Amino acid sequence: MISEQVILGVPEGLHLRPANRLCNIAIGFQSSIMFRVRESDYNAKSVLSTLGACIRFGDTFEIRCDGPDEQEALKAMCEAVRGELT
């Protein structure tokens, strides 16, 4: 398992459209991908779970990846979260 702390760079926060895009990125990987936000874990491959995390612009949280393509998954997720979702 690998992880990295990131700051959400999407100005609107993770509302439905960027949450859906982020989930579509996560679904493309075999690895398990989770968000750790305010002491709770959320499945990055689930739109409802991602929306439930209530992540806002500027929030810091952890992305955790575990599986055969975890390096690639973590890189793609971090890039997306830092502002390439809009």
Side-chain angles (χ1 to χ4, degrees):
M1 182 181 82
I2 60 174
S3 66
E4 186 171 331
Q5 290 283 329
V6 294
I7 298 172
L8 184 64
V10 180
E12 300 84 17
L14 281 185
H15 62 82
L16 186 56
R17 184 172 292 149
N20 185 52
R21 289 184 192 147
L22 188 62
C23 289
N24 285 336
I25 292 168
I27 288 168
F29 294 97
Q30 292 178 355
S31 295
S32 166
I33 304 172
M34 303 292 289
F35 298 134
R36 179 94 175 143
V37 183
R38 296 177 290 279
E39 307 298 321
S40 296
D41 294 320
Y42 299 90
N43 182 357
K45 294 184 178 185
S46 164
V47 174
L48 291 177
S49 183
T50 301
L51 288 171
C54 298
I55 304 170
R56 296 183 181 101
F57 177 72
D59 284 354
T60 300
F61 60 100
E62 182 179 24
I63 299 175
R64 296 177 177 177
C65 299
D66 187 22
D69 53 1
E70 61 189 22
Q71 294 285 340
E72 298 87 0
L74 184 62
K75 181 179 182 217
M77 295 298 289
C78 287
E79 288 174 356
V81 164
R82 288 184 179 124
E84 297 181 7
L85 289 174
T86 57

